[in-house]
Amino acid sequence: MQTLAPGDPRRAPALLNLTQVLLHLHDQFGRRETLDTAVDAAREAVAELPIDHPSRPLHLMSLGHVLRRRNTGTGTDLEPALAALREAATIDVGSPHVRASVAAGWARLAASDGRWAEAAEAYGTAIDLMGRTVSRSLTRRDREALIDGMAGLGADAAVCCVRAGLPTRAVELFEQGRGLLLGHALDSRTDLTALAERQPAFATMFTELCTAFEGSDTDVAARRGLAAQYDRLLADIRMLPGF
């Protein structure tokens, strides 16, 4: 079997795969030594990646997961598990979808230890990242699937906020979570009367783009192009006085 030296770009992905295999073996046989080796492999994988590597959140998520699993037996890995998940969720690289999932795991782990303020912060991060994930470049069906995958996020966030003594923030996060997909739907139903009077070309373009987004058969590349046009148009509209 080929040995991958430190610094080899293939080493971190290989260690990530090894971590998952070891975790599966631990689930099958329950040996503590296997879980310890999985933690070591996960830590090595993270150490292989520079701070700005786009895969770093995924590897930190793996580390946080194995530490959380080991913590159930010892109670000593909670802090490093939280730290790994916190970094994965808040680092400004990588997929927002991965980071949103990590943030939700961070929130649940913090809540399980009664750290309500930290859990509220983590849920807020997850919901903000979901807002980036539910992009207009995706079809409506794909956006709905992403939202379904994070079902209950707003309600869980609200519970943690209330327990942390943050009732106003509870309402904010609950409404923000509930309204992610609704906000996209409402964009296409905005009253454009004022815009049509001020800048009719913008109103026409806005209507046409929103209609195009509703086409579920539009390919991914085309939807990305539409999303870019939409963002540019929205920026131009917002430069108008009163908009």
Side-chain angles (χ1 to χ4, degrees), residues 107-185:
R108 287 190 289 268
L109 182 57
S112 71
D113 194 52
R115 304 184 184 205
W116 305 116
E118 182 173 359
E121 177 191 355
Y123 274 123
T125 300
I127 291 172
D128 285 342
L129 287 167
M130 281 301 296
R132 301 188 208 178
T133 299
V134 188
S135 166
R136 277 191 170 275
S137 64
L138 302 175
T139 65
R140 183 179 180 83
R141 180 176 298 176
D142 288 342
R143 282 181 275 155
E144 288 174 340
L146 286 172
I147 293 294
D148 288 344
M150 304 292 275
L153 206 63
D156 291 342
V159 169
C160 290
C161 287
V162 169
R163 287 178 176 256
L166 303 168
T168 301
R169 183 63 171 154
V171 175
E172 290 174 353
L173 290 181
F174 180 76
E175 290 301 324
Q176 189 178 348
R178 192 168 63 97
L180 282 174
L181 191 59
L182 179 62
H184 286 268

Side-chain angles (χ1 to χ4, degrees), residues 19 22 34-44 63 66-67 70 77:
T19 301
L22 290 168
T34 306
L35 192 55
D36 290 342
T37 305
V39 170
D40 291 341
R43 282 182 168 142
E44 284 188 55
L63 174 58
V66 294
L67 284 168
R70 193 170 70 173
D77 288 305

Side-chain angles (χ1 to χ4, degrees), residues 44-91:
E44 284 188 55
V46 172
E48 284 289 321
L49 299 175
I51 193 68
D52 59 349
H53 195 285
S55 295
R56 189 172 177 85
L58 183 63
H59 287 73
L60 284 165
M61 176 176 66
S62 175
L63 174 58
H65 181 56
V66 294
L67 284 168
R68 179 174 57 190
R69 292 289 294 278
R70 193 170 70 173
N71 184 69
T72 59
T74 66
T76 61
D77 288 305
L78 179 61
E79 293 296 342
L82 286 169
L85 296 175
R86 185 186 304 113
E87 182 183 349
T90 57
I91 192 172

Side-chain angles (χ1 to χ4, degrees), residues 1-5 8 10-11 13-19 21-22 41:
M1 180 177 177
Q2 183 182 13
T3 300
L4 301 176
D8 190 313
R10 298 170 295 173
R11 183 173 169 82
L15 286 167
L16 180 65
N17 291 335
L18 176 61
T19 301
V21 170
L22 290 168

